[in-house]
Amino acid sequence: NCASRFYSIRTFIMTKDPANVIHCKQVLYADDAGSVGKLISLRIWWDRLCSIGPQLGYFPNAPKMVGGKARLVDDAMEIFKGAGVQITKKGATEDEHLKEGHRYLGAAVGIVAFQRRYVMGKVDTWVRELDQLCENC
């Protein structure tokens, strides 16, 4: 089936759109898109995604969007007013949020310590699996 290949090629265009690349880091995988950056940049990215996405067969689903830092929730709600975006807060306090981080589309988003723990966990799993594979050869 070529449909997924054509879809991937078309959505790849969105990641190379200069209006998006300049403002924030983004990832698209299958029918999911995500971005990290300053709130204003994220609003620009969201508006651009809503503008060019449907032309390329991608239809953004605003209710899936999640905000992160507790201290920025009010700012995010103001910046995304009228965009149909639901802003939610992960973690009860800023300190709790900073200790954690989030997995998103197979990657780690959060502070560097969280990212390192996540990646090292993945590497450890791959090493164990490779060892098992080599034992069976």
Side-chain angles (χ1 to χ4, degrees), residues 4 12 15 19 24 37 39 47 69 80 85 91 108 110-111 113 120 126 129 132:
S4 62
F12 178 76
T15 65
C24 43
L39 289 172
D47 290 343
K69 294 182 179 177
F80 281 92
V85 174
I111 62 172
M120 290 311 297
W126 295 334
E129 290 173 350
Q132 287 178 341

Side-chain angles (χ1 to χ4, degrees), residues 45-108:
W45 172 80
W46 175 251
D47 290 343
R48 188 74 179 138
L49 186 66
C50 290
S51 171
I52 66 170
Q55 298 168 25
L56 300 170
Y58 180 81
F59 300 92
N61 185 355
K64 287 185 176 179
M65 292 189 71
V66 176
K69 294 182 179 177
R71 65 182 169 82
L72 298 177
V73 170
D74 291 336
D75 293 342
M77 293 174 94
E78 183 62 32
I79 289 170
F80 281 92
K81 185 183 274 185
V85 174
Q86 179 183 3
I87 306 294
T88 61
K89 178 171 71 172
K90 293 264 184 175
T93 68
E94 181 71 11
D95 291 337
E96 286 179 20
H97 174 73
L98 291 175
K99 288 178 189 174
E100 294 300 316
H102 306 281
R103 289 182 307 131
Y104 185 74
L105 297 179

Side-chain angles (χ1 to χ4, degrees), residues 25-43:
K25 295 179 182 180
Q26 62 181 329
V27 61
L28 283 92
Y29 179 75
D31 65 343
D32 286 316
S35 184
V36 294
K38 304 273 185 202
L39 289 172
I40 295 293
S41 297
L42 290 173
R43 176 61 194 255

